[in-house]
Amino acid sequence: MGGDSCLRCCTRQLPLDYDTWYCIFQKLNSLIDQNSFGLTCVTFRNIQNSTSRRCLKIRCSNNNSIIDSFIIDKLLNRHSKLEKLTLGCYGCPHLTYSCLTPLLKYGSTLRSLNLDHCNSIRETQLKLIASACPLLSVISLTITSITDGGLQVLSKSCKYLNEVNLFGCYNITDNGIYFLIQNCHQLRALIISQCGLIHGVGFRECSPTLACLEAFNCDLDSKAVSRIVSGGGLEYLNLGTYGSRGSTVLEPIGLGFASKLKCLNIARCSLVDDDVIIKISRGCPLLQEWNLTGCNMIWIPGWKSIGKYCQNLETLHVGYCIGRGLLYVGAGCKRLSVIVIEENQNTSEIIGLFKLQREDVEIKTKVPWHDARSRVFKTYEKYRAG
């Protein structure tokens, strides 16, 4: 009888729970023995696979919004080589200090931590995280109640932070952003969309490593935009808004410091005019994707400048701003492959003419840009690789 059959027979007579099996597996000191037992027993093989797991998502069960620290301790002990841990995304909204204490034992290998929608996160929890996870490089804190003080603690201890998501963190001000910029010298991607208390002052002395910024619907003026682009390293920038944003606010993008930009979103900046479009077209020659949805003050000179200077443009969003000027884009942007429009614009006369002009360009109906927020880092990596 084979070893696996023998073990199945034994377990039918004397059932063992997973923890007991795990303790037995831990007693196998030799990697050769662990591999041998993993080949002969399904349970041992499953345990072996779990110990080498790199990513883990923990959710509360039985409709309970509070998770026991014992369960987290147990899971982190079982998956001892974790690099990415998710406790957010509605998984565990009420994380107490004690829930996070297991990180003091097992957090030294963590590179990525997701605490989205964990509304109970405060400065004390962030102090614990900063102490327990010195190698942390990615943290997501979407719609949490963290403050500038928490960011200061986190940024001082986690020197390797390079991706930070603060979407909807309504308590964060320019002071918190300043702490990140000053203390995290490897910071390359930052989301501050829907943070109403951020006005851009915190971006003074902006790091040249910052390559991706998502600041949708933030209250920024032209001085703030100047600070944001001053580092010179931006490749992805989202300054779209639900309100009106004047032309002068966006002028600094086209003055030379944003020459590396490959993806720009200024959707719904309804007051943007030809002068700004011309400056951005000239100043950002590497643009591959440009979202102009709702920018309905662009006339022929603006579209002509896009066709003339944006020779790397591949994707253009033109929802609610389609005019005959689009034909100048089609004539000039030889690499253009996708035009994104609104569904009700697909039968317009201009689109019909554009299809005749550029049969090689795909016409897509617009995907809501707020859906793209969750893909911001993935999108940035796309342009970074290119």
Side-chain angles (χ1 to χ4, degrees):
M1 183 180 293
D4 195 34
S5 301
C6 221
L7 284 168
R8 284 201 300 269
C9 180
C10 291
T11 55
R12 279 197 292 269
Q13 296 175 12
L14 185 61
L16 300 176
D17 59 28
Y18 188 91
D19 289 336
T20 304
W21 282 107
Y22 185 77
C23 288
I24 295 171
F25 185 80
Q26 292 290 80
K27 297 295 183 182
L28 302 173
N29 296 322
S30 167
L31 181 61
I32 295 175
D33 288 343
Q34 290 181 354
N35 289 336
S36 298
F37 276 84
L39 291 171
T40 59
C41 175
V42 173
T43 304
F44 278 140
R45 185 167 67 248
N46 290 338
I47 291 172
Q48 190 176 30
N49 290 337
S50 71
T51 57
S52 61
R53 187 171 185 172
R54 295 291 186 266
C55 304
L56 179 65
K57 180 180 289 187
I58 301 176
R59 288 184 175 274
C60 300
S61 59
N62 300 324
N63 297 319
N64 186 3
S65 61
I66 301 176
I67 191 167
D68 196 317
S69 61
F70 173 74
I71 295 175
I72 295 180
D73 188 284
K74 197 173 180 180
L75 288 169
L76 294 184
N77 178 50
R78 185 176 296 169
H79 307 292
S80 57
K81 297 180 181 179
L82 280 182
E83 294 182 0
K84 182 177 181 180
L85 177 63
T86 297
L87 295 169
C89 297
Y90 306 103
C92 310
H94 300 296
L95 279 176
T96 62
Y97 184 89
S98 61
C99 287
L100 295 172
T101 52
L103 289 176
L104 293 170
K105 288 192 289 183
Y106 309 110
S108 61
T109 61
L110 275 184
R111 261 72 171 180
S112 176
L113 181 62
N114 185 314
L115 298 172
D116 290 351
H117 300 277
C118 294
N119 301 319
S120 60
I121 292 293
R122 298 291 186 274
E123 188 172 333
T124 52
Q125 286 100 318
L126 288 178
K127 283 182 179 179
L128 186 152
I129 291 168
S131 174
C133 310
L135 298 181
L136 203 63
S137 61
V138 178
I139 189 165
S140 189
L141 296 159
T142 293
I143 310 182
T144 55
S145 302
I146 63 166
T147 61
D148 294 338
L151 277 186
Q152 184 178 23
V153 169
L154 195 66
S155 63
K156 280 186 174 181
S157 297
C158 300
K159 298 292 186 180
Y160 299 105
L161 277 178
N162 58 54
E163 292 187 1
V164 179
N165 184 352
L166 300 173
F167 177 88
C169 293
Y170 50 85
N171 290 325
I172 297 298
T173 72
D174 286 301
N175 289 331
I177 300 304
Y178 183 72
F179 295 141
L180 278 177
I181 298 293
Q182 292 300 304
N183 296 327
C184 301
H185 300 298
Q186 298 182 27
L187 187 67
R188 65 184 181 89
L190 176 63
I191 296 180
I192 56 170
S193 297
Q194 306 284 27
C195 294
L197 298 180
I198 295 176
H199 304 292
V201 179
F203 285 96
R204 60 188 182 274
E205 301 174 21
C206 193
S207 171
T209 64
L210 186 63
C212 170
L213 178 67
E214 186 93 351
F216 185 86
N217 212 37
C218 287
D219 185 16
L220 305 173
D221 59 18
S222 60
K223 290 182 179 179
V225 176
S226 293
R227 297 186 192 102
I228 287 170
V229 300
S230 65
L234 278 175
E235 297 179 22
Y236 177 104
L237 179 61
N238 182 355
L239 294 179
T241 181
Y242 287 129
S244 60
R245 179 166 285 158
S247 286
T248 55
V249 174
L250 299 174
E251 275 187 1
I253 298 173
L255 298 182
F257 287 110
S259 60
K260 293 182 181 179
L261 264 183
K262 295 181 180 179
C263 183
L264 176 62
N265 178 4
I266 54 173
R268 301 184 183 87
C269 296
S270 56
L271 300 180
V272 167
D273 59 20
D274 288 338
D275 288 341
V276 171
I277 295 300
I278 292 170
K279 287 177 182 176
I280 295 176
S281 299
R282 287 175 173 172
C284 305
L286 300 182
L287 272 180
Q288 296 176 21
E289 182 168 359
W290 197 350
N291 191 337
L292 295 171
T293 299
C295 298
N296 50 21
M297 297 294 290
I298 305 174
W299 304 105
I300 297 298
W303 294 114
K304 277 186 175 181
S305 70
I306 295 174
K308 182 177 181 180
Y309 298 109
C310 297
Q311 293 302 303
N312 291 292
L313 195 64
E314 298 174 1
T315 302
L316 183 64
H317 301 248
V318 292
Y320 300 121
C321 62
I322 291 177
R324 287 192 172 273
L326 187 61
L327 300 178
Y328 290 100
V329 175
C333 299
K334 303 304 181 183
R335 295 188 181 182
L336 192 67
S337 59
V338 176
I339 288 286
V340 185
I341 64 174
E342 300 294 329
E343 286 189 25
N344 58 1
Q345 295 176 311
N346 201 27
T347 57
S348 73
E349 179 187 354
I350 299 300
I351 292 298
L353 292 173
F354 185 86
K355 287 179 179 179
L356 291 174
Q357 180 195 44
R358 291 291 301 272
E359 295 179 351
D360 58 317
V361 176
E362 182 181 2
I363 308 295
K364 290 186 176 180
T365 52
K366 180 178 173 293
V367 177
W369 192 264
H370 64 265
D371 290 348
R373 175 178 54 82
S374 63
R375 303 190 302 274
V376 61
F377 294 146
K378 184 178 179 181
T379 304
Y380 162 66
E381 289 296 344
K382 168 189 170 184
Y383 292 105
R384 185 166 178 259

